[in-house]
Amino acid sequence: MSSHGAPIPIMSHPCGPLKGEAHVPGDKSISHRALILGALCVGETSISGLLEGQDVLDTAKAMRAFGAEVTDLGGGRWSVHGVGVGGFMEPDQIIDCGNSGTGVRLIMGAMATCPIVATFTGDASLNKRPMARVTDPLAGFGTQAVGRSEGRLPMTIIGAKEPVPLHYEVPVPSAQVKSAVLLAGLNAPGETVVTEKEATRDHTERMLAGFGAQIRTEVTDIGRVITLQGQPELIPQHIEVPRDPSSAAFPVCAALITPGSDVLVPNIGLNPTRAGLYTTLQDMGADLGFENMREEGGEPVADLRARYSPDMHGIEVPAERAASMIDEYPVLSVVAAFATGKTHMTGVKELRVKESDRIAAMADGLRANGVTVEDGPDWWSVVGLGPDNVPGGATCASHLDHRIAMAFMVMGMGAKAPVSVDDGGPIATSFPIFESLMGSLGARLERT
Ligand code: S3P
């Protein structure tokens, strides 16, 4: 079932060359943060290029429930009149974050040190995901949480009345956990310090600095140590959201596996904590270029050019690269099926607690479509069949997971027979224009 209505089965037919320009939507991670940080300032934050996917719309609704004035000005432009650090009001309804782990975990952090109570829920996927990874550190500020067994939603968070700052070492590589702690630290007096062994996406740190917080990151022997001075007065900003490298992955990978393709994907943010997939594809021998490299708003940006790449080979994807491409493994595993030889991916146990168990979901669907996959708790490998050799022909379950649905749609474009998903509805959480955009390049996606 899709999260907001009846299932939408989609079939992706093998297609001719994909050609043209793919203007993908705004970055999901930055869009959530722009709304939340805007809500934590007094005054108006203006945002352009906001991703208007369901996940982000749910965060916008939540910010209104906590007292911010959030207005859709049309054309991706939004304005947020915030309530200031510590100024969140108590919502009078349950906060429904839909499918979004980022939304719920960051918002829990942002309200955890306000003297209010809020109850959170989500769809069937989100309500299975672990929240203790966030509520455990929040307890260190004095926050209480009461949820279902094993720390699942629905869950009520009782904000700390007199928060104390926290020193916390994040036990799993998670930008959501790091960000929840930093957002909670905003309303605690003194310094909150977060240490992460492996670098995860650093949008929260960069944006907090941009909004005027005192925050510094030191790279040490034990990892990255991030120190935030509590109770700043955040200053409203204008945020131009860059286009999402995780969404760009779909047209890029589709072009690599579809004979004759040549696709340009302009204006993609290539923050090094996000760009691991593109390094991996180059290591596999993909014909992938970075044109017009430049810096915008302190972030590296480039136009990606992807051409059909029949000579790709399987590789060992380094475990230390996992955090920088964590959302891209589903579509990478599809590309790996079209490469020659085995692609082995390790250090990926976080994939098992995403919108779905992404290793299991992809392994099942790849196998049903004629591809050999092996997997263990923290690793998986895909045995590539080489170009033009992937059978396809099966229907895969998307498990309420947008990236699983889109990965199998990409697979159908280069396979010998169509590939279907039982429900493409979740695609709207992060990439609402996926079907029309891919169609404009020459893909043949059909709602069945
Ligand atoms: C995100 C962090 C990642 C990622 C998610 C977005 C974020 O999750 O998978 O899509 O915006 O902070 P984890 O922090 O759980 O790794």
Side-chain angles (χ1 to χ4, degrees):
M1 274 284 289
S2 80
S3 44
H4 297 269
I8 303 172
I10 312 180
M11 178 179 278
S12 174
H13 295 270
C15 60
L18 299 171
K19 300 254 184 195
E21 287 192 14
H23 295 274
V24 304
D27 190 286
K28 181 154 75 70
S29 294
I30 294 176
S31 294
H32 283 295
R33 288 160 170 81
L35 291 169
I36 296 170
L37 290 177
L40 292 171
C41 300
V42 176
E44 182 185 4
T45 285
S46 57
I47 307 170
S48 59
L50 189 85
L51 165 65
E52 292 172 348
Q54 192 56 46
D55 278 10
V56 176
L57 298 178
D58 287 335
T59 288
K61 200 169 156 207
M63 290 303 97
R64 288 189 190 112
F66 282 103
E69 208 180 288
V70 182
T71 313
D72 177 359
L73 301 172
R77 291 186 314 114
W78 287 65
S79 101
V80 183
H81 281 269
V83 291
V85 168
F88 271 8
M89 283 161 22
E90 187 165 285
D92 57 10
Q93 297 290 336
I94 291 171
I95 304 296
D96 186 347
C97 290
N99 191 250
S100 181
T102 308
V104 76
R105 291 181 175 133
L106 267 55
I107 297 168
M108 280 179 175
M111 59 82 42
T113 48
C114 300
I116 57 172
V117 178
T119 300
F120 295 87
T121 192
D123 69 5
S125 155
L126 189 58
N127 287 4
K128 280 189 217 152
R129 298 178 66 186
M131 295 299 142
R133 54 177 52 201
V134 170
T135 53
D136 284 354
L138 294 183
F141 289 99
T143 307
Q144 291 168 267
V146 187
R148 287 192 303 138
S149 58
E150 296 168 56
R152 314 277 144 151
L153 301 177
M155 179 174 274
T156 296
I157 305 285
I158 305 168
K161 286 204 174 69
E162 288 176 18
V164 289
L166 181 69
H167 286 217
Y168 189 66
E169 189 176 311
V170 187
V172 285
S174 169
Q176 292 174 2
V177 176
K178 170 179 68 177
S179 302
V181 173
L182 290 172
L183 292 173
L186 278 177
N187 198 38
E191 283 185 347
T192 286
V193 182
V194 186
T195 303
E196 59 176 5
K197 284 191 218 102
E198 295 163 55
T200 64
R201 66 192 69 194
D202 60 358
H203 306 302
T204 304
E205 298 91 301
R206 286 177 188 244
M207 290 177 75
L208 276 171
F211 275 85
Q214 273 186 47
I215 181 165
R216 60 174 195 278
T217 300
E218 289 149 282
V219 180
T220 71
D221 292 347
I222 49 163
R224 301 209 308 177
V225 181
I226 303 143
T227 306
L228 171 72
Q229 183 65 45
Q231 300 182 322
E233 192 176 319
L234 297 182
I235 302 149
Q237 298 295 306
H238 173 68
I239 306 288
E240 290 199 21
V241 180
R243 293 176 193 264
D244 197 321
S246 299
S247 296
F250 296 101
V252 164
C253 291
L256 299 180
I257 64 165
T258 306
S261 297
D262 184 349
V263 170
L264 187 71
V265 191
N267 300 324
I268 301 305
L270 289 175
N271 178 316
T273 62
R274 292 289 296 282
L277 171 74
Y278 299 108
T279 310
T280 300
L281 293 173
Q282 287 188 316
D283 289 352
M284 294 172 79
D287 185 349
L288 175 65
F290 302 92
E291 298 178 0
N292 196 12
M293 289 281 284
R294 58 204 182 270
E295 209 167 275
E296 277 173 22
E299 299 261 2
V301 171
D303 304 337
L304 306 182
R305 181 174 289 280
R307 295 189 178 90
Y308 177 53
S309 303
D311 298 326
M312 288 186 291
H313 52 85
I315 62 162
E316 177 84 33
V317 184
E320 57 276 12
R321 201 180 284 164
S324 69
M325 54 180 286
I326 196 68
D327 291 334
E328 283 66 76
Y329 282 95
V331 75
L332 173 66
S333 70
V334 168
V335 173
F338 289 81
T340 302
K342 191 189 267 194
T343 293
H344 190 53
M345 298 161 276
T346 54
V348 291
K349 68 170 180 290
E350 279 296 300
L351 291 179
R352 296 209 179 269
V353 291
K354 294 294 179 188
E355 285 83 332
S356 66
D357 175 341
R358 285 183 170 162
I359 297 178
M362 288 309 300
D364 286 351
L366 286 165
R367 286 178 189 130
N369 282 288
V371 181
T372 300
V373 181
E374 294 161 36
D375 72 290
D378 194 23
W379 62 272
W380 54 322
S381 57
V382 175
V383 182
L385 293 164
D388 308 323
N389 264 332
V390 174
T395 299
C396 311
S398 60
H399 296 281
L400 282 179
D401 188 330
H402 52 134
R403 300 205 196 277
I404 301 298
M406 289 187 279
F408 285 123
M409 293 293 88
V410 168
M411 186 176 190
M413 296 171 204
K416 290 185 178 170
V419 175
S420 301
V421 288
D422 64 343
D423 185 10
I427 293 172
T429 60
S430 70
F431 201 157
I433 59 167
F434 177 78
E435 287 168 84
S436 57
L437 182 63
M438 294 310 298
S440 74
L441 301 175
R444 291 171 53 221
L445 302 178
E446 181 195 0
R447 292 194 175 193
T448 49

